[in-house]
């Protein structure tokens, strides 16, 4: 179309400077003609999908006198001479615009057909269906809402470069309706989780992100310094300890949905900042919380209309951790091989690598990560973890070697972690002392001693069950994505 850059492909690197210069020249021309290229507002806009839904039954070739105001980005153009067809896209969908020189003022028509792909416009138009059956708006008037000074991604194939998609997510969202729908589905999942917990009587609370002492998980924190207080602070690695202090205070059912931060590696299932929902329920134990988690995931799946291959309906499969390891490693019994050397010998006897610097607990984690986790595709709970791996879980009521803890797995990765919460302050103090010994031995992920939390427990905490569910991984499961970077709008990237 005369006066506009190529409508079908994005320019190559050599042509880009000329395209950018041409777009800036148009910007200056519009201003010289008295057109404001970046107006303040455009009121009364309706979503494109609302127009489409209201006229689904309109027959091919039919006209109406129903007028709408829509707005969006120009995605395609066709036609020449005295008529043009323009595809307009908003968050909800796409609609065809039909612009005619005999309807618009001459200067308005010429400006419209001279716009570039990616420009944002607002349109007042009348609904009709073309003879080919395409629902359309006949343009009665239009307004430039934002002049795009850079060309959009190539329209037919979107962004093929993965690095560009993740570093410049705005381009991915412009180019790909699938990407837009993914993040709309993520929002629906979060809304479904909140709705379920709110309806179940939980209170949503907010606890500090900057904490004087980190805790609630085995992880290295990000460290910062507060100048006014002249003290070291940490980005939280979990919300657990503060939420349990809310239980002590009598809120009884609480949850927080927000960001946690762990200074660890990046992989297809790890991002240094991630979204977690943690909820705690007084007078419940880890069995109750397993049922709660099944309901929570089912509610999230229903909210985003999940139709994938997994059966997420309750009840999920249940195994003990010890049985799962025994069955998948040729008979290794972690409850019998209770010290580091015995477990390493059992692993090596079966041809499994036992990293020489690992503790007994780290070797157990190695067995789970390498030999159990990848086999858990359907939703599965692994119950009853060794107490050494569970510094905040209550001891098992039937076996002193174990803690009342489970982890939930799906699609070969952990999506949730839960305990019957430890509420004996003396036992919690002893566990902190154990963690301090691990830290002194060089374990960078050991729990620091938190005296304020122990003193809170000394006020009395009722029997409590708690769970943390990873939102990013749950979104991966529900949307069929294999990398966490796909479901985080702006993931951490290497330079």
């Amino acid at each position: 179309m005369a006066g506009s850059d190529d409508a079908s492909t994005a320019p190559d690197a050599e042509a880009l400077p000329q395209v950018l210069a041409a777009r800036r020249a148009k910007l200056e021309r519009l201003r010289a003609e008295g057109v404001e290229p970046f107006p303040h507002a455009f009121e009364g806009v309706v979503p494109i999908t609302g127009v489409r839904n209201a006229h689904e039954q309109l027959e091919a070739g039919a006209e109406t006198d129903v007028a709408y105001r829509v707005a969006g980005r120009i995605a395609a153009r066709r036609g020449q001479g005295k008529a043009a067809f323009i595809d307009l896209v908003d968050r909800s969908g796409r609609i065809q615009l039909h612009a005619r020189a005999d309807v618009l003022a001459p200067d308005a028509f010429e400006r419209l057909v001279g716009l570039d792909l990616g420009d944002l416009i607002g349109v007042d138009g009348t609904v009709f269906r073309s003879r080919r059956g395409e629902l359309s708006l006949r343009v009665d008037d239009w307004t430039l809402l934002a002049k795009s000074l850079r060309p959009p991604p190539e329209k037919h194939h979107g962004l093929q470069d993965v690095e560009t998609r993740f570093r410049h997510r705005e381009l991915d969202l412009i180019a790909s309706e699938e990407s837009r729908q993914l993040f709309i589905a993520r929002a629906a999942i979060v809304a479904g989780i909140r709705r379920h917990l709110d309806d179940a009587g939980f209170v949503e609370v907010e606890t500090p992100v900057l904490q004087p002492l980190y805790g609630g998980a085995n992880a290295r924190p990000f460290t910062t310094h507060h100048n006014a207080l002249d003290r070291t602070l940490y980005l939280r690695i979990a919300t657990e300890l503060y939420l349990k202090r809310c239980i002590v205070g009598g809120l009884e059912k609480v949850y927080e949905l927000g960001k946690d931060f762990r200074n660890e590696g990046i992989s297809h299932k790890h991002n240094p900042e991630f979204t977690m929902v943690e909820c705690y329920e007084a007078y419940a134990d880890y069995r109750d919380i397993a049922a709660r988690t099944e309901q929570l995931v089912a509610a999230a799946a229903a909210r985003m209309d999940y139709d994938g291959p997994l059966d997420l309906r309750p009840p999920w499969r249940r195994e003990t951790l010890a049985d799962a390891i025994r069955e998948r490693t040729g008979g290794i019994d972690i409850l019998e091989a209770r010290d580091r050397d015995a477990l390493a010998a059992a692993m090596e006897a079966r041809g499994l690598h036992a990293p020489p610097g690992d503790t007994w607990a780290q070797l157990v984690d190695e067995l789970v990560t390498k030999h159990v986790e990848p086999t858990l595709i359907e939703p599965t709970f692994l119950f009853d973890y060794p107490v050494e791996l569970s510094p905040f879980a209550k001891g098992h009521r039937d076996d002193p070697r174990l803690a009342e803890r489970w982890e939930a797995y799906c699609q070969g990765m952990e999506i949730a972690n839960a305990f019957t919460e430890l509420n004996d302050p003396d036992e919690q103090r002893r566990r902190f002392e154990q963690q301090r010994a691990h830290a002194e031995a060089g374990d960078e992920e050991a729990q620091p001693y938190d005296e304020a939390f122990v003193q809170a427990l000394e006020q009395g905490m009722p029997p409590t069950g708690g769970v943390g569910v990873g939102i990013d991984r749950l979104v991966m499961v529900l949307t069929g994505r294999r990398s966490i970077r796909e479901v985080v709008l702006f993931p951490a990237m290497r330079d």
Side-chain angles (χ1 to χ4, degrees):
M1 188 169 290
S4 62
D5 53 38
D6 193 323
S8 61
T9 60
D12 58 32
E14 291 185 2
L16 183 60
Q18 290 81 12
V19 171
L20 297 180
R23 287 192 172 223
R24 286 207 168 265
K26 286 187 182 182
L27 174 71
E28 297 310 318
R29 258 195 323 272
L30 288 166
R31 284 181 166 145
E33 294 170 358
V35 176
E36 171 52 61
F38 302 103
H40 288 78
F42 190 69
E43 297 177 349
V45 170
V46 300
I48 285 172
T49 189
V51 179
R52 302 192 70 88
N53 292 343
H55 298 277
E56 285 180 335
Q57 307 305 317
L58 195 64
E59 296 180 356
E63 303 270 349
T64 79
D65 58 0
V66 182
Y68 291 94
R69 171 170 277 202
V70 297
R73 193 179 294 275
I74 295 176
R77 293 181 309 261
R78 300 168 298 284
Q80 56 187 355
K82 300 299 183 182
F85 290 96
I86 297 170
D87 285 355
L88 191 73
V89 175
D90 71 2
R91 187 185 79 184
S92 70
R94 177 184 296 246
I95 197 166
Q96 177 176 267
L97 307 177
H98 184 209
R100 288 173 26 185
D102 61 346
V103 174
L104 295 170
D107 57 344
F109 180 78
E110 291 302 322
R111 286 195 189 106
L112 179 58
V113 298
L115 291 176
D116 293 316
L117 295 183
D119 286 350
L120 289 146
I121 62 172
V123 172
D124 293 295
T126 308
V127 173
F128 73 99
R129 194 176 291 277
S130 71
R131 291 188 180 89
R132 294 185 177 181
E134 182 68 29
L135 190 72
S136 307
L137 281 182
R138 183 163 287 114
V139 180
D140 300 320
D141 195 11
W142 71 278
T143 301
L144 179 63
L145 300 181
K147 176 70 188 137
S148 175
L149 298 178
R150 287 183 171 272
E154 195 276 318
K155 72 175 186 177
H156 292 298
H157 302 104
L159 286 174
Q160 299 301 304
D161 182 69
V162 172
E163 289 283 315
T164 301
R165 288 180 56 230
F166 297 154
R167 292 183 189 277
H168 300 280
R169 183 69 79 180
E170 67 279 5
L171 299 181
D172 182 33
L173 295 170
I174 289 171
S176 170
E177 182 178 359
E178 181 183 1
S179 183
R180 293 194 297 274
Q181 291 305 314
L182 167 63
F183 288 101
I184 291 171
R186 178 184 172 117
I189 290 166
V190 170
I193 288 170
R194 277 200 165 100
R195 172 67 64 85
H196 174 79
L197 292 172
D198 291 344
D199 289 348
F202 284 79
V203 177
E204 183 173 9
V205 299
E206 295 175 290
T207 63
V209 174
L210 282 175
Q211 300 181 346
L213 193 64
Y214 63 93
N218 291 325
R220 284 176 295 177
F222 289 95
T223 305
T224 187
H225 184 80
H226 191 286
N227 293 332
L229 295 177
D230 190 24
R231 70 182 303 184
T232 297
L233 295 173
Y234 305 93
L235 289 177
R236 69 186 182 196
I237 61 174
T239 56
E240 176 174 345
L241 303 190
Y242 282 96
L243 291 177
K244 288 197 282 196
R245 288 164 72 173
C246 292
I247 295 291
V248 169
L251 292 183
E252 294 185 348
K253 297 170 84 171
V254 295
Y255 77 94
E256 183 166 10
L257 199 159
K259 291 282 192 179
D260 291 333
F261 307 84
R262 298 181 185 175
N263 199 349
E264 56 190 16
I266 295 174
S267 74
H268 74 282
K269 59 183 180 181
H270 292 96
N271 197 57
E273 64 173 290
F274 57 97
T275 305
M276 179 83 75
V277 60
E278 289 196 44
C279 58
Y280 294 83
E281 183 173 355
Y283 316 116
D285 67 7
Y286 74 148
R287 295 187 182 95
D288 300 315
I289 296 299
R292 172 75 65 197
T293 303
E294 291 171 332
Q295 296 162 7
L296 190 71
V297 172
R303 187 65 179 256
M304 58 85 64
D305 296 324
Y306 174 77
D307 62 353
L310 299 174
D311 184 0
L312 299 171
R313 296 170 299 176
W316 295 358
R317 197 159 148 260
R318 285 158 166 75
E319 294 185 68
T320 67
L321 178 72
D323 286 345
I325 291 175
R326 186 183 301 109
E327 291 172 4
R328 292 163 176 83
T329 60
I332 292 177
D333 190 335
I334 61 170
L335 299 182
E336 292 297 327
R338 291 289 293 170
D339 63 72
R340 191 261 169 214
D341 291 342
L343 183 54
M347 293 171 66
E348 290 165 356
R350 291 162 177 82
L352 306 180
H353 177 59
D358 280 7
T359 64
W360 181 88
Q362 289 170 329
L363 290 179
V364 173
D365 187 64
E366 172 92 358
L367 291 171
V368 174
T369 301
K370 297 284 183 64
H371 304 286
V372 178
E373 186 172 321
T375 72
L376 302 176
I377 305 303
E378 293 295 326
T380 304
F381 291 113
L382 292 186
F383 272 80
D384 300 338
Y385 276 58
V387 69
E388 293 88 343
L389 276 65
S390 312
F392 294 107
K394 199 171 183 69
H396 199 283
R397 65 197 75 181
D398 298 323
D399 189 334
R401 299 172 298 179
L402 302 174
E404 293 199 351
R405 174 188 178 188
W406 56 252
E407 288 186 340
Y409 291 84
C410 197
Q411 290 287 42
M413 63 183 172
E414 177 202 344
I415 61 169
N417 183 26
F419 312 143
T420 301
E421 302 297 335
L422 178 59
N423 61 345
D424 179 340
D426 294 335
E427 175 63 13
Q428 182 63 77
R429 183 175 279 109
R430 190 183 70 80
R431 302 265 191 98
F432 274 139
E433 293 288 0
Q434 287 179 333
Q435 290 292 305
R436 182 149 58 189
H438 293 326
E440 291 171 353
D443 185 352
E444 294 181 333
E445 297 184 352
Q447 294 281 326
Y449 192 104
D450 190 337
E451 179 61 24
F453 177 65
V454 175
Q455 290 182 13
L457 290 184
E458 288 178 334
Q459 296 291 335
M461 186 175 85
T464 298
V467 64
V469 180
I471 298 297
D472 306 315
R473 292 185 183 181
L474 180 59
V475 173
M476 288 171 63
V477 168
L478 294 178
T479 61
R481 288 343 193 249
R482 300 304 300 168
S483 170
I484 198 170
R485 296 194 299 179
E486 292 280 357
V487 302
V488 173
L489 269 170
F490 299 100
M493 304 286 288
R494 291 183 173 85
D495 288 339

